[in-house]
Amino acid sequence: MTEVIYSSYISMLVRYFNLEQSIQWTSLYGSIKEINGEKIGIVKGTFYDTLSENYFPDSEFVYGDNIFYLLEKLMLEEIEGFIYDQPVIEVYSKLFPHRVNFYPFDELEENHNGFGFQKNEEGEALAKEFNEFLKTIDVPALEKKWSKPDWSSETMALNDNSDFKIDKEFNPNDKLLTVGFELGLKPLSFYYGNEPMGSEIEIIYLFAKAKHYNINLIEISLAERVSLLKEQKLNITGGSFSIIDERKKDIIFSDTIYSCKTVLAVRLDSKKDEVPLGIRDGKYNLKEKKIVDVNVKFPDDKKFHLVFSPIFIMILF
């Protein structure tokens, strides 16, 4: 087993309200249990639906393809909170320090995350090769490096910092691996401009470089990860990918990359027309109000039509 990178909590974003229109903020709810009965958001493709049902049996659930969709619903006061990993939720609490906060589920055991592979001989061999590679790099140092940037700053220029440059140049004759990530999970996997960045992205490219693979990296939703591996349309996937027994029936997991607990993200009380997320369907655009279409190909030439907005980095960065 590889060394666990860092410990954290899974969180849920919750609402705050403004006291006497000052910059003093306080929680609308005194505890996680008090939110039971309110609308709760759930990211599709995660195991948080069962957790939400257990904690909030009287609540109505709203499902979204990604964190951005639920964050928008949170800001629009259409949900009261949603559950996710603390490392990711902490980023958004820094981006919106007077708009969101989170409560940890302290009593829950840590959740282990890794990379997923096809459940066949080829996938088993690739996972074994990957696990051996992990022993040769300082994974905790990578995670620490990517946790340092000030995600609340829109002026941070990762591409101008050599410490964050990822070598993506490969020999075209190397074997091609198709790797799928949800690219909105800072600091793990995310866009900076049109460039995929993050600790897990860097790990994948370091692995490819060391083992002479070429990478076809595509953007997928969290809900697609297991199905695309089963259909052999992906060789590897990751991005806050929880290692749970139910998934092990269909795919192979790498050794643990990092462990975390869960947090409940909640909203700050605010006017709906002040919501900083102006995009529908989880596709985000703050200033340019422009959506970019991107076509990517799988090795079998089947096209997946992906839509993303590079300006959603203005939210993430």
Side-chain angles (χ1 to χ4, degrees), residues 116-129 235 252:
F117 301 80
Q118 296 176 14
K119 195 167 187 178
N120 52 34
E121 290 186 4
E122 181 180 355
E124 184 177 1
L126 187 61
K128 182 178 180 180
E129 185 179 28
N235 299 107
I252 296 172

Side-chain angles (χ1 to χ4, degrees), residues 136-154:
T136 68
I137 62 173
D138 191 346
V139 182
L142 285 177
E143 292 293 339
K144 184 177 181 180
K145 178 185 76 173
W146 285 98
S147 67
K148 281 184 176 182
D150 178 11
W151 301 120
S152 64
S153 172
E154 293 185 358

Side-chain angles (χ1 to χ4, degrees), residues 19 66 118 142 160 194 234 267 284 302:
L19 292 179
N66 52 49
Q118 296 176 14
L142 285 177
D160 296 331
N194 292 328
L234 292 179
R267 176 181 68 247
Y284 296 92
K302 180 177 180 180

Side-chain angles (χ1 to χ4, degrees), residues 180-249:
F181 276 95
E182 157 68 53
L183 292 170
L185 300 172
K186 284 201 249 178
L188 310 173
S189 55
F190 57 91
Y191 277 120
Y192 187 82
N194 292 328
E195 285 294 316
M197 306 285 276
S199 58
E200 293 196 15
I201 300 296
E202 183 169 10
I203 288 172
I204 283 294
Y205 278 101
L206 287 174
F207 167 67
K209 197 75 173 179
K211 300 299 180 180
H212 305 289
Y213 290 112
N214 205 339
I215 295 295
N216 175 32
L217 194 148
I218 64 171
E219 182 182 20
I220 63 173
S221 70
L222 298 176
E224 294 178 298
R225 294 180 294 189
V226 174
S227 62
L228 290 177
L229 282 175
K230 288 174 65 177
E231 295 167 9
Q232 300 184 15
K233 293 175 180 175
L234 292 179
N235 299 107
I236 307 175
T237 189
S240 188
F241 202 16
S242 301
I243 302 172
I244 56 176
D245 291 339
E246 182 178 354
R247 289 171 175 165
K248 288 180 179 179
K249 298 175 184 177

Side-chain angles (χ1 to χ4, degrees), residues 4-284:
V4 173
I5 295 175
Y6 61 88
S7 297
S8 59
Y9 292 87
I10 300 174
S11 321
M12 187 166 194
L13 286 174
V14 287
R15 179 156 63 123
Y16 275 56
F17 67 90
N18 191 336
L19 292 179
E20 299 178 350
Q21 297 184 345
S22 71
I23 59 173
Q24 300 176 25
W25 300 86
T26 185
S27 174
L28 184 64
Y29 299 97
S31 70
I32 286 178
K33 292 182 179 179
E34 291 182 23
I35 208 170
N36 182 36
E38 304 291 345
K39 286 187 178 181
I40 302 297
I42 298 174
V43 182
K44 295 177 183 178
T46 68
F47 69 95
Y48 299 137
D49 52 351
T50 301
L51 180 63
S52 297
E53 291 169 2
N54 291 337
Y55 268 85
F56 313 111
D58 302 321
S59 290
E60 178 184 346
F61 301 113
V62 176
Y63 290 83
D65 289 331
N66 52 49
I67 285 180
F68 306 122
Y69 177 85
L70 293 182
L71 189 60
E72 182 178 40
K73 293 296 183 184
L74 190 71
M75 297 288 190
L76 289 170
E77 302 181 15
E78 296 177 14
I79 61 174
E80 291 298 314
F82 66 90
I83 295 175
Y84 210 76
D85 292 359
Q86 183 176 1
V88 177
I89 295 300
E90 281 185 330
V91 170
Y92 297 100
S93 67
K94 292 178 180 179
L95 285 168
F96 306 112
H98 301 303
R99 305 298 293 278
V100 296
N101 194 31
F102 59 88
Y103 292 125
F105 290 80
D106 292 321
E107 64 272 29
L108 297 179
E109 294 183 359
E110 285 190 339
N111 174 44
H112 302 291
N113 296 271
F115 289 88
F117 301 80
Q118 296 176 14
K119 195 167 187 178
N120 52 34
E121 290 186 4
E122 181 180 355
E124 184 177 1
L126 187 61
K128 182 178 180 180
E129 185 179 28
F130 183 79
N131 286 334
E132 289 299 316
F133 162 76
L134 287 178
K135 298 175 183 178
T136 68
I137 62 173
D138 191 346
V139 182
L142 285 177
E143 292 293 339
K144 184 177 181 180
K145 178 185 76 173
W146 285 98
S147 67
K148 281 184 176 182
D150 178 11
W151 301 120
S152 64
S153 172
E154 293 185 358
T155 61
M156 184 190 66
L158 287 179
N159 289 337
D160 296 331
N161 189 328
S162 60
D163 291 340
F164 295 96
K165 288 189 180 294
I166 299 176
D167 185 1
K168 299 176 182 178
E169 298 296 326
F170 294 93
N171 186 331
N173 296 321
D174 289 344
K175 182 179 179 180
L176 181 68
L177 294 180
T178 299
V179 181
F181 276 95
E182 157 68 53
L183 292 170
L185 300 172
K186 284 201 249 178
L188 310 173
S189 55
F190 57 91
Y191 277 120
Y192 187 82
N194 292 328
E195 285 294 316
M197 306 285 276
S199 58
E200 293 196 15
I201 300 296
E202 183 169 10
I203 288 172
I204 283 294
Y205 278 101
L206 287 174
F207 167 67
K209 197 75 173 179
K211 300 299 180 180
H212 305 289
Y213 290 112
N214 205 339
I215 295 295
N216 175 32
L217 194 148
I218 64 171
E219 182 182 20
I220 63 173
S221 70
L222 298 176
E224 294 178 298
R225 294 180 294 189
V226 174
S227 62
L228 290 177
L229 282 175
K230 288 174 65 177
E231 295 167 9
Q232 300 184 15
K233 293 175 180 175
L234 292 179
N235 299 107
I236 307 175
T237 189
S240 188
F241 202 16
S242 301
I243 302 172
I244 56 176
D245 291 339
E246 182 178 354
R247 289 171 175 165
K248 288 180 179 179
K249 298 175 184 177
D250 299 310
I251 66 174
I252 296 172
F253 277 102
S254 70
D255 291 340
T256 297
I257 299 297
Y258 74 94
S259 297
C260 68
K261 286 192 175 180
T262 311
V263 295
L264 171 68
V266 293
R267 176 181 68 247
L268 301 175
D269 195 19
S270 61
K271 295 180 180 179
K272 294 183 180 182
D273 59 5
E274 294 177 352
V275 174
L277 310 180
I279 316 308
R280 301 271 72 83
D281 302 323
K283 305 305 179 184
Y284 296 92

